[in-house]
Amino acid sequence: MNSPIMIACAHGTSNTQGAAEVNALRAAIAELRPGLDVREAYVDVQQPDLVDVVAGLPDGEAAVVVPLLLSVGYHVKVDIARAVKSRPGSAAAAPLGPDPRLAALLDQRLREAGTTDNDVIVLAAAGSSNPNAAVSVEELLGQLRALRSNRMVAAYGASAQPSVPDAVAMLREELAGGAGAGESAGAVDVGGRVVIASYLLAPGFFHDQLAKAGADVVTQPLLPSPTLAEIALDRYDAAVAAMNETPTEAPVPGPAEAPDKAPADAQQGGFFKALQRFVTKYFPR
């Protein structure tokens, strides 16, 4: 039996480098799983559109849409869910984040950027109007806190609060010993820098905005890294396992049992009882 097709669905970007990084991620997934049919799709900006890809799947072929997205949000809950619902035999995997491996990758990016223990960190995510997205980001933030002692806050590029510029300004005030300092500052050492940890897959619009947020340092996005391909395949495998689960089968009747006959006997017995009551009532002896 062939493995279900993987539709590796990204958001889409007009940034040439960002598009190349996502394509390289798909290639890395295919390289890790030889023989797996990995297809390209997007929910915005780029083509082919996810709806068209799902509609064009071969008849009788199962498929799993793997969101190349970092949290649950509108695109996962609406766009991908609708596309999957439109075609029987399709399923949606969980997004790539949160995942402890992503926290480790963020920690690596912070170290590459020269982040010290004295620095304060803004974990910058794209943002979503879906509150579950913020929950996912906060979970990832907790995983990152387990790896680093820095003062950290989560912030968003759009649709959620605080915004990245607001978070940067708040932490800079803390570093300066301003109104935001004190116990809420988490014992930050004065003299550190404000560092933005880019919780984004690849270069694009949102990453470009981080450079304008007023921080001292902005880390590189998560790609390129083999970690993302490994997580994508784990999400795919989990979705395939869920598709293959079958309901618990009822016990096979033994020779003494007659399941098809029993309901008929019960109906017949009920009929004669009703008839007997009718005769007794209207034709008493």
Side-chain angles (χ1 to χ4, degrees):
M1 180 178 178
N2 293 332
S3 298
I5 294 167
M6 177 196 282
I7 302 175
C9 181
H11 179 276
T13 178
S14 57
N15 183 289
T16 303
Q17 182 184 351
E21 294 284 11
V22 173
N23 285 335
L25 172 56
R26 289 194 189 89
I29 293 169
E31 185 176 353
L32 285 176
R33 188 70 58 86
L36 178 62
D37 186 349
V38 181
R39 303 199 179 188
E40 177 182 16
Y42 303 93
V43 290
D44 201 359
V45 184
Q46 289 180 257
Q47 296 293 324
D49 185 80
L50 175 62
V51 173
D52 296 333
V53 174
V54 170
L57 290 170
D59 291 340
E61 290 278 355
V64 172
V65 178
V66 177
L68 301 184
L69 303 167
L70 294 173
S71 60
V72 174
Y74 182 88
H75 293 305
V76 172
K77 287 292 190 180
V78 178
D79 294 328
I80 292 175
R82 282 177 180 170
V84 166
K85 188 177 180 180
S86 71
R87 184 183 184 277
S90 301
L96 302 178
D99 190 288
R101 289 168 288 183
L102 293 179
L105 182 54
L106 278 167
D107 180 49
Q108 178 184 330
R109 293 287 182 264
L110 287 164
R111 286 186 280 108
E112 291 169 353
T115 307
T116 71
D117 292 341
N118 291 337
D119 296 330
V120 292
I121 298 170
V122 176
L123 178 64
S128 171
S129 58
N130 189 312
N132 290 325
V135 172
S136 296
V137 174
E138 289 292 339
E139 182 176 343
L140 193 283
L141 180 63
Q143 294 166 349
L144 185 58
R145 281 178 174 148
L147 302 176
R148 304 191 64 92
S149 61
N150 303 76
R151 159 83 161 136
M152 304 181 203
V153 297
Y156 305 91
S159 304
Q161 296 297 325
S163 70
V164 175
D166 286 348
V168 169
M170 179 190 73
L171 291 182
R172 193 169 295 287
E173 187 176 17
E174 288 184 5
L175 287 175
E183 289 185 3
S184 65
V188 174
D189 289 335
V190 175
R193 301 170 301 169
V194 179
V195 178
I196 292 177
S198 178
Y199 188 43
L200 301 169
L201 272 185
F205 174 79
F206 283 119
H207 188 74
D208 291 343
Q209 299 310 301
L210 298 184
K212 307 172 185 177
D216 299 299
V217 178
V218 179
T219 68
Q220 292 299 307
L222 299 177
L223 287 172
S225 169
T227 298
L228 277 301
E230 295 164 1
I231 295 174
L233 282 169
D234 286 348
R235 301 293 187 261
Y236 168 83
D237 289 339
V240 172
M243 291 173 72
N244 291 336
E245 287 180 358
T246 55
T248 304
E249 295 182 0
V252 177
E257 299 176 89
D260 292 333
K261 185 179 178 183
D265 288 345
Q267 288 181 348
Q268 190 176 33
F271 170 78
F272 283 119
K273 287 180 180 179
L275 179 61
Q276 185 176 26
R277 286 195 298 270
F278 177 84
V279 171
T280 301
K281 181 176 181 179
Y282 295 102
F283 302 93
R285 293 180 180 180

PDB file of all heavy atoms in Angstrom, residues 37-68:
ATOM      1  N   ASP A  37       5.674  11.009  -1.852  1.00  0.00           N
ATOM      2  CA  ASP A  37       5.217  12.026  -2.804  1.00  0.00           C
ATOM      3  C   ASP A  37       4.936  13.308  -2.019  1.00  0.00           C
ATOM      4  O   ASP A  37       3.945  13.414  -1.305  1.00  0.00           O
ATOM      5  CB  ASP A  37       3.953  11.522  -3.510  1.00  0.00           C
ATOM      6  CG  ASP A  37       3.490  12.448  -4.635  1.00  0.00           C
ATOM      7  OD1 ASP A  37       4.011  13.577  -4.729  1.00  0.00           O
ATOM      8  OD2 ASP A  37       2.608  12.033  -5.406  1.00  0.00           O
ATOM      9  N   VAL A  38       5.845  14.283  -2.122  1.00  0.00           N
ATOM     10  CA  VAL A  38       5.722  15.550  -1.402  1.00  0.00           C
ATOM     11  C   VAL A  38       5.315  16.631  -2.395  1.00  0.00           C
ATOM     12  O   VAL A  38       6.038  16.908  -3.352  1.00  0.00           O
ATOM     13  CB  VAL A  38       7.046  15.946  -0.710  1.00  0.00           C
ATOM     14  CG1 VAL A  38       6.874  17.258   0.051  1.00  0.00           C
ATOM     15  CG2 VAL A  38       7.510  14.840   0.232  1.00  0.00           C
ATOM     16  N   ARG A  39       4.168  17.251  -2.154  1.00  0.00           N
ATOM     17  CA  ARG A  39       3.632  18.243  -3.088  1.00  0.00           C
ATOM     18  C   ARG A  39       3.607  19.642  -2.474  1.00  0.00           C
ATOM     19  O   ARG A  39       3.480  19.802  -1.271  1.00  0.00           O
ATOM     20  CB  ARG A  39       2.238  17.832  -3.560  1.00  0.00           C
ATOM     21  CG  ARG A  39       2.236  16.450  -4.204  1.00  0.00           C
ATOM     22  CD  ARG A  39       1.051  16.190  -5.050  1.00  0.00           C
ATOM     23  NE  ARG A  39       1.125  14.862  -5.665  1.00  0.00           N
ATOM     24  CZ  ARG A  39       0.294  14.407  -6.588  1.00  0.00           C
ATOM     25  NH1 ARG A  39      -0.702  15.187  -7.021  1.00  0.00           N
ATOM     26  NH2 ARG A  39       0.439  13.188  -7.079  1.00  0.00           N
ATOM     27  N   GLU A  40       3.675  20.616  -3.333  1.00  0.00           N
ATOM     28  CA  GLU A  40       3.753  22.019  -2.965  1.00  0.00           C
ATOM     29  C   GLU A  40       2.357  22.642  -2.918  1.00  0.00           C
ATOM     30  O   GLU A  40       1.519  22.379  -3.778  1.00  0.00           O
ATOM     31  CB  GLU A  40       4.611  22.742  -4.005  1.00  0.00           C
ATOM     32  CG  GLU A  40       4.759  24.228  -3.842  1.00  0.00           C
ATOM     33  CD  GLU A  40       5.588  24.844  -4.968  1.00  0.00           C
ATOM     34  OE1 GLU A  40       5.775  24.179  -6.014  1.00  0.00           O
ATOM     35  OE2 GLU A  40       6.038  25.993  -4.801  1.00  0.00           O
ATOM     36  N   ALA A  41       2.102  23.490  -1.918  1.00  0.00           N
ATOM     37  CA  ALA A  41       0.829  24.212  -1.848  1.00  0.00           C
ATOM     38  C   ALA A  41       0.988  25.412  -0.918  1.00  0.00           C
ATOM     39  O   ALA A  41       1.880  25.446  -0.065  1.00  0.00           O
ATOM     40  CB  ALA A  41      -0.291  23.306  -1.352  1.00  0.00           C
ATOM     41  N   TYR A  42       0.079  26.398  -1.090  1.00  0.00           N
ATOM     42  CA  TYR A  42       0.123  27.627  -0.290  1.00  0.00           C
ATOM     43  C   TYR A  42      -1.298  28.044   0.058  1.00  0.00           C
ATOM     44  O   TYR A  42      -2.256  27.720  -0.643  1.00  0.00           O
ATOM     45  CB  TYR A  42       0.816  28.756  -1.063  1.00  0.00           C
ATOM     46  CG  TYR A  42       2.213  28.396  -1.497  1.00  0.00           C
ATOM     47  CD1 TYR A  42       2.442  27.835  -2.762  1.00  0.00           C
ATOM     48  CD2 TYR A  42       3.303  28.595  -0.653  1.00  0.00           C
ATOM     49  CE1 TYR A  42       3.721  27.475  -3.157  1.00  0.00           C
ATOM     50  CE2 TYR A  42       4.584  28.244  -1.052  1.00  0.00           C
ATOM     51  CZ  TYR A  42       4.790  27.681  -2.297  1.00  0.00           C
ATOM     52  OH  TYR A  42       6.051  27.318  -2.689  1.00  0.00           O
ATOM     53  N   VAL A  43      -1.406  28.816   1.157  1.00  0.00           N
ATOM     54  CA  VAL A  43      -2.709  29.361   1.540  1.00  0.00           C
ATOM     55  C   VAL A  43      -2.825  30.837   1.165  1.00  0.00           C
ATOM     56  O   VAL A  43      -3.906  31.423   1.239  1.00  0.00           O
ATOM     57  CB  VAL A  43      -2.971  29.190   3.052  1.00  0.00           C
ATOM     58  CG1 VAL A  43      -3.190  27.729   3.396  1.00  0.00           C
ATOM     59  CG2 VAL A  43      -1.837  29.785   3.887  1.00  0.00           C
ATOM     60  N   ASP A  44      -1.723  31.456   0.746  1.00  0.00           N
ATOM     61  CA  ASP A  44      -1.757  32.873   0.401  1.00  0.00           C
ATOM     62  C   ASP A  44      -0.542  33.214  -0.458  1.00  0.00           C
ATOM     63  O   ASP A  44       0.461  32.491  -0.443  1.00  0.00           O
ATOM     64  CB  ASP A  44      -1.757  33.729   1.672  1.00  0.00           C
ATOM     65  CG  ASP A  44      -2.290  35.141   1.454  1.00  0.00           C
ATOM     66  OD1 ASP A  44      -2.639  35.465   0.300  1.00  0.00           O
ATOM     67  OD2 ASP A  44      -2.363  35.903   2.435  1.00  0.00           O
ATOM     68  N   VAL A  45      -0.633  34.288  -1.205  1.00  0.00           N
ATOM     69  CA  VAL A  45       0.452  34.916  -1.968  1.00  0.00           C
ATOM     70  C   VAL A  45       0.924  34.096  -3.160  1.00  0.00           C
ATOM     71  O   VAL A  45       0.955  34.572  -4.295  1.00  0.00           O
ATOM     72  CB  VAL A  45       1.664  35.273  -1.081  1.00  0.00           C
ATOM     73  CG1 VAL A  45       2.728  36.013  -1.895  1.00  0.00           C
ATOM     74  CG2 VAL A  45       1.243  36.085   0.129  1.00  0.00           C
ATOM     75  N   GLN A  46       1.338  32.848  -2.930  1.00  0.00           N
ATOM     76  CA  GLN A  46       1.936  32.033  -3.987  1.00  0.00           C
ATOM     77  C   GLN A  46       0.960  30.991  -4.540  1.00  0.00           C
ATOM     78  O   GLN A  46      -0.076  30.706  -3.956  1.00  0.00           O
ATOM     79  CB  GLN A  46       3.187  31.316  -3.463  1.00  0.00           C
ATOM     80  CG  GLN A  46       4.382  32.224  -3.220  1.00  0.00           C
ATOM     81  CD  GLN A  46       5.573  31.438  -2.709  1.00  0.00           C
ATOM     82  OE1 GLN A  46       5.883  31.464  -1.524  1.00  0.00           O
ATOM     83  NE2 GLN A  46       6.258  30.742  -3.605  1.00  0.00           N
ATOM     84  N   GLN A  47       1.338  30.453  -5.656  1.00  0.00           N
ATOM     85  CA  GLN A  47       0.629  29.348  -6.279  1.00  0.00           C
ATOM     86  C   GLN A  47       1.568  28.128  -6.309  1.00  0.00           C
ATOM     87  O   GLN A  47       2.776  28.293  -6.309  1.00  0.00           O
ATOM     88  CB  GLN A  47       0.202  29.714  -7.713  1.00  0.00           C
ATOM     89  CG  GLN A  47      -0.796  30.851  -7.787  1.00  0.00           C
ATOM     90  CD  GLN A  47      -2.133  30.484  -7.198  1.00  0.00           C
ATOM     91  OE1 GLN A  47      -2.590  29.342  -7.334  1.00  0.00           O
ATOM     92  NE2 GLN A  47      -2.780  31.437  -6.530  1.00  0.00           N
ATOM     93  N   PRO A  48       1.012  26.900  -6.299  1.00  0.00           N
ATOM     94  CA  PRO A  48      -0.404  26.551  -6.414  1.00  0.00           C
ATOM     95  C   PRO A  48      -1.155  26.694  -5.096  1.00  0.00           C
ATOM     96  O   PRO A  48      -0.615  26.459  -4.026  1.00  0.00           O
ATOM     97  CB  PRO A  48      -0.354  25.083  -6.842  1.00  0.00           C
ATOM     98  CG  PRO A  48       0.907  24.558  -6.233  1.00  0.00           C
ATOM     99  CD  PRO A  48       1.882  25.695  -6.314  1.00  0.00           C
ATOM    100  N   ASP A  49      -2.408  27.096  -5.212  1.00  0.00           N
ATOM    101  CA  ASP A  49      -3.272  27.246  -4.060  1.00  0.00           C
ATOM    102  C   ASP A  49      -3.643  25.877  -3.498  1.00  0.00           C
ATOM    103  O   ASP A  49      -3.853  24.917  -4.244  1.00  0.00           O
ATOM    104  CB  ASP A  49      -4.542  28.000  -4.456  1.00  0.00           C
ATOM    105  CG  ASP A  49      -5.426  28.283  -3.261  1.00  0.00           C
ATOM    106  OD1 ASP A  49      -5.144  29.232  -2.523  1.00  0.00           O
ATOM    107  OD2 ASP A  49      -6.402  27.522  -3.067  1.00  0.00           O
ATOM    108  N   LEU A  50      -3.731  25.787  -2.168  1.00  0.00           N
ATOM    109  CA  LEU A  50      -4.030  24.513  -1.509  1.00  0.00           C
ATOM    110  C   LEU A  50      -5.316  23.890  -2.026  1.00  0.00           C
ATOM    111  O   LEU A  50      -5.379  22.673  -2.260  1.00  0.00           O
ATOM    112  CB  LEU A  50      -4.118  24.718   0.001  1.00  0.00           C
ATOM    113  CG  LEU A  50      -4.552  23.503   0.815  1.00  0.00           C
ATOM    114  CD1 LEU A  50      -3.565  22.364   0.676  1.00  0.00           C
ATOM    115  CD2 LEU A  50      -4.749  23.884   2.288  1.00  0.00           C
ATOM    116  N   VAL A  51      -6.355  24.693  -2.205  1.00  0.00           N
ATOM    117  CA  VAL A  51      -7.642  24.152  -2.668  1.00  0.00           C
ATOM    118  C   VAL A  51      -7.488  23.468  -4.018  1.00  0.00           C
ATOM    119  O   VAL A  51      -8.030  22.375  -4.245  1.00  0.00           O
ATOM    120  CB  VAL A  51      -8.689  25.278  -2.743  1.00  0.00           C
ATOM    121  CG1 VAL A  51      -9.981  24.774  -3.382  1.00  0.00           C
ATOM    122  CG2 VAL A  51      -8.981  25.844  -1.357  1.00  0.00           C
ATOM    123  N   ASP A  52      -6.731  24.071  -4.918  1.00  0.00           N
ATOM    124  CA  ASP A  52      -6.524  23.489  -6.242  1.00  0.00           C
ATOM    125  C   ASP A  52      -5.702  22.209  -6.167  1.00  0.00           C
ATOM    126  O   ASP A  52      -5.956  21.245  -6.904  1.00  0.00           O
ATOM    127  CB  ASP A  52      -5.828  24.495  -7.162  1.00  0.00           C
ATOM    128  CG  ASP A  52      -6.681  25.726  -7.418  1.00  0.00           C
ATOM    129  OD1 ASP A  52      -7.920  25.615  -7.349  1.00  0.00           O
ATOM    130  OD2 ASP A  52      -6.111  26.806  -7.680  1.00  0.00           O
ATOM    131  N   VAL A  53      -4.707  22.191  -5.283  1.00  0.00           N
ATOM    132  CA  VAL A  53      -3.870  20.995  -5.141  1.00  0.00           C
ATOM    133  C   VAL A  53      -4.698  19.831  -4.622  1.00  0.00           C
ATOM    134  O   VAL A  53      -4.603  18.705  -5.131  1.00  0.00           O
ATOM    135  CB  VAL A  53      -2.677  21.280  -4.207  1.00  0.00           C
ATOM    136  CG1 VAL A  53      -1.888  20.003  -3.926  1.00  0.00           C
ATOM    137  CG2 VAL A  53      -1.755  22.330  -4.825  1.00  0.00           C
ATOM    138  N   VAL A  54      -5.525  20.085  -3.619  1.00  0.00           N
ATOM    139  CA  VAL A  54      -6.371  19.027  -3.065  1.00  0.00           C
ATOM    140  C   VAL A  54      -7.363  18.539  -4.111  1.00  0.00           C
ATOM    141  O   VAL A  54      -7.585  17.328  -4.277  1.00  0.00           O
ATOM    142  CB  VAL A  54      -7.104  19.524  -1.800  1.00  0.00           C
ATOM    143  CG1 VAL A  54      -8.164  18.519  -1.351  1.00  0.00           C
ATOM    144  CG2 VAL A  54      -6.103  19.775  -0.676  1.00  0.00           C
ATOM    145  N   ALA A  55      -7.970  19.467  -4.853  1.00  0.00           N
ATOM    146  CA  ALA A  55      -8.943  19.083  -5.882  1.00  0.00           C
ATOM    147  C   ALA A  55      -8.298  18.275  -6.996  1.00  0.00           C
ATOM    148  O   ALA A  55      -8.966  17.447  -7.636  1.00  0.00           O
ATOM    149  CB  ALA A  55      -9.597  20.335  -6.461  1.00  0.00           C
ATOM    150  N   GLY A  56      -7.018  18.479  -7.244  1.00  0.00           N
ATOM    151  CA  GLY A  56      -6.334  17.781  -8.326  1.00  0.00           C
ATOM    152  C   GLY A  56      -5.678  16.477  -7.933  1.00  0.00           C
ATOM    153  O   GLY A  56      -4.960  15.879  -8.751  1.00  0.00           O
ATOM    154  N   LEU A  57      -5.901  16.013  -6.711  1.00  0.00           N
ATOM    155  CA  LEU A  57      -5.300  14.752  -6.285  1.00  0.00           C
ATOM    156  C   LEU A  57      -5.873  13.580  -7.088  1.00  0.00           C
ATOM    157  O   LEU A  57      -7.051  13.589  -7.454  1.00  0.00           O
ATOM    158  CB  LEU A  57      -5.554  14.518  -4.798  1.00  0.00           C
ATOM    159  CG  LEU A  57      -4.820  15.434  -3.818  1.00  0.00           C
ATOM    160  CD1 LEU A  57      -5.360  15.237  -2.408  1.00  0.00           C
ATOM    161  CD2 LEU A  57      -3.317  15.168  -3.849  1.00  0.00           C
ATOM    162  N   PRO A  58      -5.064  12.559  -7.346  1.00  0.00           N
ATOM    163  CA  PRO A  58      -5.570  11.388  -8.073  1.00  0.00           C
ATOM    164  C   PRO A  58      -6.702  10.711  -7.320  1.00  0.00           C
ATOM    165  O   PRO A  58      -6.696  10.650  -6.087  1.00  0.00           O
ATOM    166  CB  PRO A  58      -4.339  10.475  -8.159  1.00  0.00           C
ATOM    167  CG  PRO A  58      -3.166  11.367  -7.936  1.00  0.00           C
ATOM    168  CD  PRO A  58      -3.634  12.439  -7.002  1.00  0.00           C
ATOM    169  N   ASP A  59      -7.667  10.214  -8.054  1.00  0.00           N
ATOM    170  CA  ASP A  59      -8.790   9.503  -7.440  1.00  0.00           C
ATOM    171  C   ASP A  59      -8.286   8.317  -6.623  1.00  0.00           C
ATOM    172  O   ASP A  59      -7.428   7.556  -7.077  1.00  0.00           O
ATOM    173  CB  ASP A  59      -9.761   9.008  -8.510  1.00  0.00           C
ATOM    174  CG  ASP A  59     -10.503  10.150  -9.197  1.00  0.00           C
ATOM    175  OD1 ASP A  59     -10.553  11.247  -8.602  1.00  0.00           O
ATOM    176  OD2 ASP A  59     -11.004   9.940 -10.324  1.00  0.00           O
ATOM    177  N   GLY A  60      -8.847   8.165  -5.448  1.00  0.00           N
ATOM    178  CA  GLY A  60      -8.517   7.022  -4.615  1.00  0.00           C
ATOM    179  C   GLY A  60      -7.230   7.159  -3.826  1.00  0.00           C
ATOM    180  O   GLY A  60      -6.897   6.264  -3.039  1.00  0.00           O
ATOM    181  N   GLU A  61      -6.498   8.253  -3.998  1.00  0.00           N
ATOM    182  CA  GLU A  61      -5.237   8.450  -3.288  1.00  0.00           C
ATOM    183  C   GLU A  61      -5.486   9.224  -1.989  1.00  0.00           C
ATOM    184  O   GLU A  61      -6.124  10.274  -1.992  1.00  0.00           O
ATOM    185  CB  GLU A  61      -4.238   9.226  -4.141  1.00  0.00           C
ATOM    186  CG  GLU A  61      -3.704   8.446  -5.335  1.00  0.00           C
ATOM    187  CD  GLU A  61      -2.566   7.516  -4.955  1.00  0.00           C
ATOM    188  OE1 GLU A  61      -2.131   7.550  -3.789  1.00  0.00           O
ATOM    189  OE2 GLU A  61      -2.130   6.741  -5.820  1.00  0.00           O
ATOM    190  N   ALA A  62      -4.979   8.699  -0.883  1.00  0.00           N
ATOM    191  CA  ALA A  62      -5.068   9.408   0.388  1.00  0.00           C
ATOM    192  C   ALA A  62      -4.014  10.514   0.432  1.00  0.00           C
ATOM    193  O   ALA A  62      -2.996  10.439  -0.258  1.00  0.00           O
ATOM    194  CB  ALA A  62      -4.857   8.437   1.546  1.00  0.00           C
ATOM    195  N   ALA A  63      -4.272  11.536   1.226  1.00  0.00           N
ATOM    196  CA  ALA A  63      -3.340  12.655   1.321  1.00  0.00           C
ATOM    197  C   ALA A  63      -3.376  13.261   2.716  1.00  0.00           C
ATOM    198  O   ALA A  63      -4.413  13.250   3.386  1.00  0.00           O
ATOM    199  CB  ALA A  63      -3.667  13.720   0.283  1.00  0.00           C
ATOM    200  N   VAL A  64      -2.237  13.778   3.145  1.00  0.00           N
ATOM    201  CA  VAL A  64      -2.123  14.484   4.423  1.00  0.00           C
ATOM    202  C   VAL A  64      -1.554  15.869   4.154  1.00  0.00           C
ATOM    203  O   VAL A  64      -0.496  16.004   3.548  1.00  0.00           O
ATOM    204  CB  VAL A  64      -1.205  13.728   5.406  1.00  0.00           C
ATOM    205  CG1 VAL A  64      -0.954  14.573   6.659  1.00  0.00           C
ATOM    206  CG2 VAL A  64      -1.805  12.386   5.782  1.00  0.00           C
ATOM    207  N   VAL A  65      -2.277  16.890   4.594  1.00  0.00           N
ATOM    208  CA  VAL A  65      -1.782  18.267   4.486  1.00  0.00           C
ATOM    209  C   VAL A  65      -0.962  18.566   5.742  1.00  0.00           C
ATOM    210  O   VAL A  65      -1.483  18.518   6.853  1.00  0.00           O
ATOM    211  CB  VAL A  65      -2.935  19.276   4.362  1.00  0.00           C
ATOM    212  CG1 VAL A  65      -2.384  20.699   4.291  1.00  0.00           C
ATOM    213  CG2 VAL A  65      -3.781  18.976   3.129  1.00  0.00           C
ATOM    214  N   VAL A  66       0.321  18.842   5.549  1.00  0.00           N
ATOM    215  CA  VAL A  66       1.197  19.203   6.661  1.00  0.00           C
ATOM    216  C   VAL A  66       1.420  20.713   6.627  1.00  0.00           C
ATOM    217  O   VAL A  66       2.039  21.225   5.690  1.00  0.00           O
ATOM    218  CB  VAL A  66       2.548  18.470   6.582  1.00  0.00           C
ATOM    219  CG1 VAL A  66       3.467  18.923   7.721  1.00  0.00           C
ATOM    220  CG2 VAL A  66       2.346  16.965   6.631  1.00  0.00           C
ATOM    221  N   PRO A  67       0.908  21.450   7.615  1.00  0.00           N
ATOM    222  CA  PRO A  67       1.099  22.903   7.612  1.00  0.00           C
ATOM    223  C   PRO A  67       2.556  23.266   7.917  1.00  0.00           C
ATOM    224  O   PRO A  67       3.067  22.924   8.992  1.00  0.00           O
ATOM    225  CB  PRO A  67       0.180  23.386   8.735  1.00  0.00           C
ATOM    226  CG  PRO A  67      -0.720  22.229   9.054  1.00  0.00           C
ATOM    227  CD  PRO A  67       0.069  21.005   8.740  1.00  0.00           C
ATOM    228  N   LEU A  68       3.211  23.911   6.987  1.00  0.00           N
ATOM    229  CA  LEU A  68       4.553  24.430   7.252  1.00  0.00           C
ATOM    230  C   LEU A  68       4.379  25.787   7.937  1.00  0.00           C
ATOM    231  O   LEU A  68       4.787  26.833   7.441  1.00  0.00           O
ATOM    232  CB  LEU A  68       5.349  24.547   5.951  1.00  0.00           C
ATOM    233  CG  LEU A  68       5.534  23.246   5.168  1.00  0.00           C
ATOM    234  CD1 LEU A  68       6.416  23.471   3.957  1.00  0.00           C
ATOM    235  CD2 LEU A  68       6.098  22.133   6.068  1.00  0.00           C
TER     236      LEU A  68
END
